[in-house]
Amino acid sequence: MSSKSPFQAVTYEYHHNINMKLLALGLNHKTAPVDIRERLAFGPDIIAGALRDLTNCNAVCEGVILSTCNRTELYCAVQDGAEAEVRRWLSGFHGLEHERVDPFLYAHADRDAVTHLLRVSSGLDSLVLGEPQILGQVKTAYQTATDCTATGKLLGRLFQHTFSVAKTVRTETAIGSSPVSVAFAAVNLARQIFSDLSQQTALLIGAGETIELAARHLHHNGIGRIIVANRTVERAHDLAAQFDGFAISLTEIANHLPEADIVIASTASPLPVLGKGTVERALKKRKHRPIFMVDIAVPRDIEPEVGDLSDVYLYTIDDLQTVIDESLRSRQAAAEQAEEIIDFHSGEFMAWLRSLDAAGLIQDYRQRAEELRDEVLSRARRQLDAGKPPAEVLNFLAHTLTNKLLHAPSSRLRQAARDGDAGILEAANELFQLDQTRLNANP
């Protein structure tokens, strides 16, 4: 593991706002059931407006919203003490009572927020340990926020650092060595129900990354036939063509559902796309041959009441946990190694963040020193113009500038000595390397 810091000298932008804090707030599959998660999800059609609304909060300076099947999280640069306002904003934006949502939320500040984002992006906080899709979702969330001008120096640096660390985790550990994902778990469960997939037809609802992964796993396991349904038929056709399948629109699902033995749904629709009545009619046409359904979407694509039908085996994303757990054991050692990498790089980011305060002080100190230099230099030039000898003017320049630069520090050190403030005296000794200076002067 490299110990080289990725942070270079930066222009200090927060010098006049030293109370700026990092905040990560949200909920996930570990803290909230799917019915709560779907109420707090941000669909792609509302993200831009939500980002504008979030960053219009008085205490929020920058913001990124990450919303996936398993989590809704806000990453913010905020004023000190802003957590309560962000909590209220999240529930209020979705029209929910704060008391209804708050028990399911977690919040992380500063280094804990950095560590959390690094763990999320590296797949260590996922339903499937080490799953790779989450990094792409984090990148998309950041790009969307950037396009909406909701990010600045702080979150920009944090997310770029995050992408670099996630890549390090992937390349230096075996966290992604096993092909485990939600899509893989769904297909693996289908294989357990149907021993021979070559005789089955799969209907895939949606055409995003998860559905594409499901299609690849099904094709690899010899699925007999694939149908892809999507709101945009062209996108469905592009995906179906890769696996010798065919595409339909969402409005055609009812006509083709009787053909489907396996249904896997993952769209961004805010409302279910498959209802109980449609499934009942399809079962009658199938003469009640069972259908295996997996609803990966949040909000759900399949009405929960469909699970009450006797010839339907409906699984939600939460139901896949047992299947997924069986595939995780080989990744535990890699996860421990990944945690060490993340801990190191969290510290690196916080060191950079703390350096912002020093950068501001240095900038102010240099500016003051330059003002004193210009003042003394101007007086020295007037003396030269008046005909004073250059050697005398140089002595004046050196003596006066030295006195002016050392006046304030010297006064503070004398006051520290009178007050018995050994901490300042020791800090000054270390800062100016006075002991080393004496050693060099007296070998």
Side-chain angles (χ1 to χ4, degrees), residues 188-200:
N188 193 44
L189 192 55
R191 288 178 58 213
Q192 296 177 31
I193 294 173
F194 302 101
S195 57
D196 183 9
L197 292 184
S198 66
Q199 303 301 312
Q200 313 305 320

Side-chain angles (χ1 to χ4, degrees), residues 85 183 195 210 253 287 397:
E85 183 177 353
S195 57
T210 299
I253 287 178
K287 298 181 179 179
L397 176 64

Side-chain angles (χ1 to χ4, degrees), residues 259-300:
E259 307 167 35
D261 305 293
I262 299 168
V263 176
I264 300 177
S266 180
T267 76
S269 173
L271 299 172
V273 297
L274 192 56
K276 184 178 180 182
T278 301
V279 178
E280 284 181 313
R281 290 188 290 273
L283 287 171
K284 288 180 181 179
K285 292 183 180 180
R286 289 173 59 83
K287 298 181 179 179
H288 293 278
R289 285 185 293 115
I291 304 177
F292 168 65
M293 295 184 171
V294 179
D295 189 352
I296 299 175
V298 177
R300 284 172 281 192

Side-chain angles (χ1 to χ4, degrees), residues 144 156 172 184 193 195 239 249 313 318 320 355 405 414 429:
T144 299
E172 296 190 10
F184 177 82
I193 294 173
S195 57
L239 179 57
S249 68
Y313 300 93
D318 290 350
L320 297 179
S355 75
L405 289 175
R414 279 192 293 270
N429 190 50

